[in-house]
């Protein structure tokens, strides 16, 4: 089975890797809702279960990995982006 690789050279939560991959494919930033939908689609394609609380888990990933993700339009916005240099 292929493993996710990440450009940060450290072990990431697999969900964080999925979120980063989605943002990268979307040009580096996207609305939170779009990220959730695309991560869910990726999971389905891999035959994985999509948890009912996926959106909440993704928000937790965004908040936990602030060195990787940020809100380009400021706090309160639901748009997220990869930190500059990662996109």
């Amino acid at each position: 089975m292929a493993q996710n690789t990440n450009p940060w050279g450290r072990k990431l939560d697999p969900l964080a890797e999925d979120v980063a991959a989605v943002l990268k494919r979307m040009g580096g930033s996207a609305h939170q809702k779009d990220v959730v939908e695309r991560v869910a689609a990726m999971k389905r394609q891999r035959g994985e279960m999509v948890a009912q609380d996926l959106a909440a888990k993704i928000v937790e990933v965004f908040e936990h990995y602030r060195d990787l993700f940020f809100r380009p339009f400021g706090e309160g916005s639901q748009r997220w982006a990869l930190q500059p240099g990662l996109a």
Side-chain angles (χ1 to χ4, degrees):
M1 177 191 310
Q3 281 189 316
N4 287 345
T5 58
N6 69 70
W8 305 286
R10 66 178 183 172
K11 181 72 175 144
L12 292 179
D13 178 307
L15 186 55
E17 290 182 5
D18 286 348
V19 168
V22 165
L23 285 174
K24 192 164 183 85
R25 282 188 216 135
M26 296 181 81
S29 72
H31 191 279
Q32 181 175 300
K33 180 178 84 81
D34 296 328
V35 174
V36 171
E37 289 172 0
R38 300 227 178 160
V39 169
M42 285 173 59
K43 287 182 163 294
R44 284 188 200 98
Q45 285 180 332
R46 294 189 301 237
E48 298 175 21
M49 296 288 294
V50 177
Q52 288 183 330
D53 63 345
L54 179 63
K57 287 181 178 185
I58 288 174
V59 171
E60 287 176 16
V61 162
F62 281 136
E63 295 293 346
H64 180 75
Y65 290 99
R66 282 299 186 115
D67 57 328
L68 304 178
F69 309 114
F70 76 106
R71 295 177 194 250
F73 298 125
E75 294 305 312
S77 168
Q78 290 196 344
R79 186 164 194 87
W80 287 91
L82 290 168
Q83 288 288 352
L86 299 178

